[in-house]
Amino acid sequence: MAEEVKLYRTWSSRYSLRVVWALNIKHIQYETIHEDLKNKSPHLLHYNPVHKKVPVLIHNGKPICESLIILEYIDETWKNNPLLPQHPLGRAQSRFWARFSDDKLMPSIMSSYYSKGKEQEESVVQALDNLKLIEEQLNGKKFFGGDNIGFLDIVLGWLAHLPSLFAEITGLKLINAEKFPVLSEWVHNFYNHPAILDHWPPHDKMITKYRPVLNPIET
């Protein structure tokens, strides 16, 4: 009997993209259900009554919510092309830096683009400090997972897209080869990986989405 795998997502959600990438790396066939978060479907509200948001993975009728939890579920359910390290220490470290990404790095980068004045200046400093910590974790590797894309690469995958998109709109570039040569190389490798490249949201559509809410930097 074929497995039922469905993914409730939006077209632009960076959290949903994590699940898309993981399913693609694992070569899992699935059905995509696109949600309008301004008019959430009864199914989404049924499957995720607590947070009422995407992504939600449905596996044989059972919902799994929250992107980091979904990634671990996928890795534990489908054993091919493992995402998390096999050693307990490596798994713990990947989980730690994943939380760092969502709790520290992402907010500091978002604030760098959404805030103004002194708050923005402070956010940029914090974002650059956080990016330095992330670059150190690569430690000369092609990917955070080594030679292949792993759990932490997927969690940090938004770094290969949103900062450059926001820089195009605002002129503020946080990641460049001079400041972060190792991370910049990772951005190139991740963005263009065959399992990743065809799953980015449309560039022009993303520009249209974010341009009205981002304030260009005066020059």
Side-chain angles (χ1 to χ4, degrees):
M1 182 178 177
E3 291 185 294
E4 177 198 47
V5 182
K6 298 180 180 180
L7 175 61
Y8 285 79
R9 58 169 295 200
T10 64
W11 69 271
S12 61
S13 165
R14 52 192 174 274
Y15 301 104
S16 295
L17 278 175
R18 293 172 174 175
V19 183
V20 171
W21 295 330
L23 291 170
N24 195 43
I25 287 170
K26 295 277 189 175
H27 304 295
I28 300 165
Q29 296 296 316
Y30 67 99
E31 177 186 353
T32 297
I33 298 96
H34 286 284
E35 283 285 335
D36 177 1
L37 296 185
K38 294 180 180 179
N39 185 26
K40 299 173 184 178
S41 73
H43 288 100
L44 177 62
L45 300 177
H46 169 73
Y47 285 128
N48 191 359
V50 176
H51 298 298
K52 302 178 176 64
K53 62 183 182 180
V54 295
V56 177
L57 183 74
I58 309 298
H59 183 210
N60 294 332
K62 303 297 184 182
I64 306 95
C65 305
E66 299 294 298
S67 64
L68 296 183
I69 294 172
I70 294 172
L71 291 183
E72 294 212 36
Y73 179 86
I74 289 172
D75 205 32
E76 292 171 2
T77 302
W78 293 278
K79 302 298 185 181
N80 61 305
N81 300 331
L83 301 176
L84 277 160
Q86 298 303 301
H87 192 278
L89 177 60
R91 296 169 78 88
Q93 290 174 333
S94 291
R95 292 183 180 115
F96 173 85
W97 288 107
R99 293 310 319 174
F100 175 82
S101 167
D102 285 4
D103 295 344
K104 298 289 187 180
L105 177 61
M106 191 183 297
S108 66
I109 287 182
M110 291 301 179
S111 181
S112 296
Y113 288 103
Y114 279 84
S115 60
K116 298 179 181 180
K118 186 171 180 58
E119 181 184 351
Q120 183 185 50
E121 293 175 6
E122 293 173 351
S123 295
V124 168
V125 171
Q126 187 62 61
L128 294 176
D129 287 345
N130 290 336
L131 286 168
K132 183 178 179 181
L133 291 172
I134 287 295
E135 177 164 86
E136 290 171 355
Q137 299 311 304
L138 276 166
N139 195 27
K141 297 177 291 187
K142 183 176 182 179
F143 297 108
F144 292 95
D147 291 331
N148 300 307
I149 289 176
F151 175 81
L152 191 53
D153 297 282
I154 291 173
V155 173
L156 289 165
W158 61 275
L159 273 182
H161 183 228
L162 282 183
S164 62
L165 184 85
F166 290 173
E168 182 177 342
I169 295 171
T170 67
L172 173 62
K173 190 169 185 178
L174 295 176
I175 302 175
N176 58 53
E178 183 179 349
K179 291 180 183 175
F180 301 105
V182 179
L183 188 58
S184 294
E185 183 68 19
W186 172 86
V187 164
H188 174 81
N189 291 334
F190 184 86
Y191 188 96
N192 292 287
H193 190 278
I196 305 298
L197 182 59
D198 291 336
H199 298 279
W200 294 109
H203 178 78
D204 291 347
K205 196 174 178 181
M206 288 290 282
I207 292 290
T208 300
K209 172 183 172 69
Y210 282 105
R211 189 183 297 278
V213 295
L214 294 176
N215 293 319
I217 296 176
E218 296 181 359
T219 56

